[in-house]
């Protein structure tokens, strides 16, 4: 069976209007703040450890 064979397990008509992808989902300032904090911690690990060890 190849990837294009229909087995009847799924409905043939897909309802794409209820499908939501990540770029379409709203985000708030707490998500932005969390991302910035994680970025700062990551950059601190990437550049801080070698700087300390040198």
């Amino acid at each position: 069976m190849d990837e294009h064979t229909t087995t009847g397990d799924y409905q043939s008509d897909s309802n794409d209007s209820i499908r939501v992808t990540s770029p379409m989902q709203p985000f708030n300032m707490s998500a932005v703040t969390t991302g910035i904090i994680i970025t700062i911690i990551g950059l601190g690990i990437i550049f801080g450890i070698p700087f300390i060890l040198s």
Side-chain angles (χ1 to χ4, degrees):
M1 184 180 325
D2 64 359
E3 62 184 322
H4 299 292
T5 304
T6 305
T7 61
D9 293 340
Y10 303 103
Q11 295 177 352
S12 61
D13 57 340
S14 63
N15 188 358
D16 290 335
S17 63
I18 61 170
R19 185 175 174 185
V20 178
T21 58
S22 292
M24 294 170 54
Q25 294 176 348
F27 58 93
N28 52 17
M29 284 307 294
S30 68
V32 173
T33 304
T34 302
I36 290 172
I37 291 171
I38 291 173
T39 302
I40 291 170
I41 292 171
L43 289 173
I45 291 171
I46 291 172
F47 295 111
I49 292 174
F51 181 75
I52 291 171
L53 293 176
S54 64

